[in-house]
Amino acid sequence: MARRRIYGVETEYGLVATVDGRRLPADEAGTRLFAPVAHRHATTNLFHRAGGRLYLDIGAHPEYATPECASASDLVTAQRAGDALLLALAADAEALEAEEGRATTFRLVRNNVDPYGNTWGSHENYLVGRSTDPRVLSDWLVPFLVSRLLVGGAGHWRRGRFALSQRGDVLADVVSNQTTRSRPLINTRDEPHADPERHRRLHVISGDTNCLEHPMWLVVVATELVLRRAESGGTPPVGPVDPLGALRTWNRDPDAGVASSSGGVVTARGLQRAYLAATQDQADDADETGPGWRAWRDLLDALDAGRPSGAEWDAKRRTIEAWRDRHGLADADPRLDALDLRWHELGLGADGQPRGLAARFQARHGVRHTTDAAVVAATRTAPGATRARVRGALLAAAQDARRDHAADWSSFEVRDLPGPDGRGPATVRLELPDPFDPAVPEAFDLVSRMGAEPRLRALGGFVPPPG
């Protein structure tokens, strides 16, 4: 029987803005990018009718948090929709800048580092049962996550050195409640956005932002397999004594042996093989874990044989090395660093072709887990199998009717409907505690009311004192 889980990803984007050839500081670039949202909605933190959240995060990073998704494929679609929404916002912002007499361009980058050592994240979210012991999850997940860069690393070419993961060298803790000052593998902030008696949110913040759909999908499916195995009990594979030290070592050489907790040595490749074997009995062809387990196996087999594997770091390194060899460049040539950055760029150039090398690779060689039509639809409509569909319908109705409303992940309220006596305004609040429920009758009744009933606003202004 297929098991249910909710998935979500928060993606922070790199941003470069120039006005009349002058590069803008990060905070000003972010503010100008979100000016159309601020003008339209009086905020830079917007729950979107597509079910997700579009906002300007700490550090002036544009960020899109996907809606709740019930499958890894839906999550890939939602991430692609987030890219499309950010690109549309950039086009709106450029038009607004032009109206004000400025020739401004915004360039969005789907990566995790800049040349100055700054880093930003890709945060994965998995809904797990409250009854599952967090220590058990940690015991299973930590060795898996430090070796998962072999599957999910986006690659980083910097000053002649190549690393499998962009985030691998900046993580400073194993488990922590911090996200910026002490970046851990797993963040312990417990915000399930659901019934806390039944659920907790597993917040994995150590992964790279993939641009290719296959590793984007496989990272989530492989992690799902490990979660199922952890929830089923048993002893996890033997991992490294020093997980963060192993991560940094394996970021340069996944075949390097590091001290294991059993007294021997372990490699990233060997550990991924151990997790593959440990999760085989959890793979189910009734959902994505069956094909996902085989795709995981095939990727490791290809790496062992020296064939193109579909891992993003592998595709990027082959692309950069081919360009280096074609032009006779040294490894430390800065043009190769620029090529690394160009891998991650979003959008189209003046010639109508993708700016980003990853997008070009995806079009020619990449395995797809969504379609262009599905991505377009996901910029307008939330996924149909989760609570996000309810939130999206409520937000669409409220925004179309210009309602005074507020939303978060687990509730919605509208503040300008007529009260029970026909007067008002009255506030109607709807709780949405079940992330698996895509059909809440009260919500669709409220959608009808917002479209049919008048808007009532409280009168403001000066009120004289009594007497």
Side-chain angles (χ1 to χ4, degrees), residues 21-75:
R22 176 179 63 88
R23 182 169 173 172
L24 296 177
D27 56 347
E28 187 176 354
T31 299
R32 292 196 189 189
L33 175 67
F34 272 77
V37 175
H39 288 185
R40 203 170 298 136
H41 301 283
T43 183
T44 57
N45 181 356
L46 177 70
F47 275 90
H48 196 275
R49 65 178 61 203
R53 180 177 167 221
L54 180 67
Y55 55 109
L56 191 60
D57 198 22
I58 297 171
H61 283 291
E63 183 161 348
Y64 184 68
T66 67
E68 302 92 331
C69 294
S71 70
S73 295
D74 281 352
L75 189 58

Side-chain angles (χ1 to χ4, degrees), residues 64 99 154 186 205 278-279 343 347 369 372 382 419 440:
Y64 184 68
E99 289 176 10
I186 301 171
I205 68 173
T279 58
W343 177 270
H369 291 276
D372 292 343
V440 179

Side-chain angles (χ1 to χ4, degrees), residues 314-443:
D314 187 29
K316 178 194 272 189
R317 185 168 70 177
R318 289 173 185 273
T319 299
I320 293 176
E321 287 178 344
W323 202 83
R324 176 201 63 191
D325 296 345
R326 187 180 312 124
H327 296 280
L329 303 179
D331 284 351
D333 192 297
R335 284 172 287 185
L336 300 182
D337 291 11
L339 208 61
D340 179 281
L341 182 62
R342 190 178 169 197
W343 177 270
H344 301 272
E345 191 168 357
L346 299 178
L348 303 177
D351 60 356
Q353 297 299 309
R355 286 194 178 112
L357 297 180
R360 297 187 181 202
F361 183 94
Q362 177 72 58
R364 296 171 185 168
H365 311 292
V367 176
R368 296 219 67 181
H369 291 276
T370 187
T371 65
D372 292 343
V375 171
V376 171
T379 64
R380 304 175 185 140
T381 307
T386 70
R387 172 180 63 191
R389 173 57 63 91
V390 179
R391 182 188 311 111
L394 289 165
L395 286 165
Q399 291 167 5
D400 289 345
R402 301 175 62 86
R403 291 287 181 182
D404 181 9
H405 68 283
D408 63 22
W409 293 107
S410 56
S411 68
F412 176 87
E413 69 177 43
V414 58
R415 304 170 179 136
D416 58 3
L417 286 169
D421 59 357
R423 300 182 180 182
T427 295
V428 178
R429 182 176 176 86
L430 190 62
E431 299 295 335
L432 304 170
D434 185 355
F436 294 98
D437 189 355
V440 179
E442 300 91 337

Side-chain angles (χ1 to χ4, degrees), residues 182-234:
S182 175
R183 302 180 186 94
L185 298 170
I186 301 171
N187 175 256
T188 58
R189 188 173 56 205
D190 191 3
E191 298 173 333
H193 303 306
D195 181 354
E197 298 295 320
R198 298 173 53 204
H199 305 293
R200 73 170 77 245
R201 177 169 62 125
L202 175 67
H203 197 45
V204 176
I205 68 173
S206 53
D208 285 7
T209 302
N210 286 119
C211 294
L212 302 181
E213 290 180 13
H214 190 56
M216 201 185 294
W217 174 81
L218 184 54
V219 158
V220 175
V221 179
T223 306
E224 168 64 26
L225 283 162
V226 174
L227 287 174
R228 290 185 182 186
R229 190 67 184 84
E231 292 164 343
S232 299

Side-chain angles (χ1 to χ4, degrees), residues 242-259:
D242 177 7
L244 294 178
L247 178 64
R248 290 181 174 82
T249 297
W250 291 337
N251 204 19
R252 298 295 186 279
D253 181 2
D255 294 315
V258 302

Side-chain angles (χ1 to χ4, degrees), residues 256-271:
V258 302
S260 76
S261 57
S262 68
V265 296
V266 63
T267 67
R269 195 187 301 258
L271 196 49

